[in-house]
Amino acid sequence: MAFVEPIELSERGVRLVPLAAQHESSLRAAAADGALWNIRVTSVPEPENTAAYIAQALKMREDGNRLAFAVLDEASGTVLGTTSYHDIVPAIRRVEIGYTWYAQRVQRTHVNTSCKLMLLRHAFETLHCHVVGWRTDNFNFASQRAIERLGAKKDGVIRGHAPRRDGTIRDTVMYSLRAGEWPEVKAQLLYLLDKPRPDSGG
């Protein structure tokens, strides 16, 4: 049995299901909400590359390196974006959370917080991970703020680490959360989800 097996998770009207080829058109539509592929510091696929993006995610799952999810609105089944466990290291019970992006209309709503609660709860309480990590572009300040709001600690910066879509080379900012820190982070995520929001997105 693999350390990380395909699973479906749900929370607050958001559902995570393993990403599959059948999600291509709806994932493309989610990316089109905000033309997200034009954002330099993300890995959102261009419309014509969506099938290849999914195929690559499935190949990485087959290799044991990644489990990608489609993020769905539970009521309608609409795809809102995608997120993944990746850089899975069974020997030390470590996963990272990444390849995360959402349609513009659900950004800054409860969707991302719900996804993080599901992924972290599964990682720490079911997989019994010792550490969950994140990595992001040094210029993706929004992502860095979101990771830091979770309570993750900044481990450092790997300089000259990976190519961007425009051919430049990025520095990668690394974060992590240890199992002993999870109870406090879980309480904060639940507080944020239960806190009244001024917008209709919950």
Side-chain angles (χ1 to χ4, degrees), residues 35-55:
L36 303 179
W37 57 87
N38 289 322
I39 301 174
R40 176 172 175 259
V41 295
T42 69
S43 60
V44 181
E46 295 84 352
E48 65 273 16
N49 293 330
T50 306
Y53 179 90
I54 294 174

Side-chain angles (χ1 to χ4, degrees), residues 161-177:
H161 183 235
R164 296 188 184 95
R165 66 174 74 231
D166 63 2
T168 59
I169 300 174
R170 82 177 200 182
D171 294 348
T172 298
V173 187
M174 303 292 295
Y175 292 89
S176 66
L177 183 72

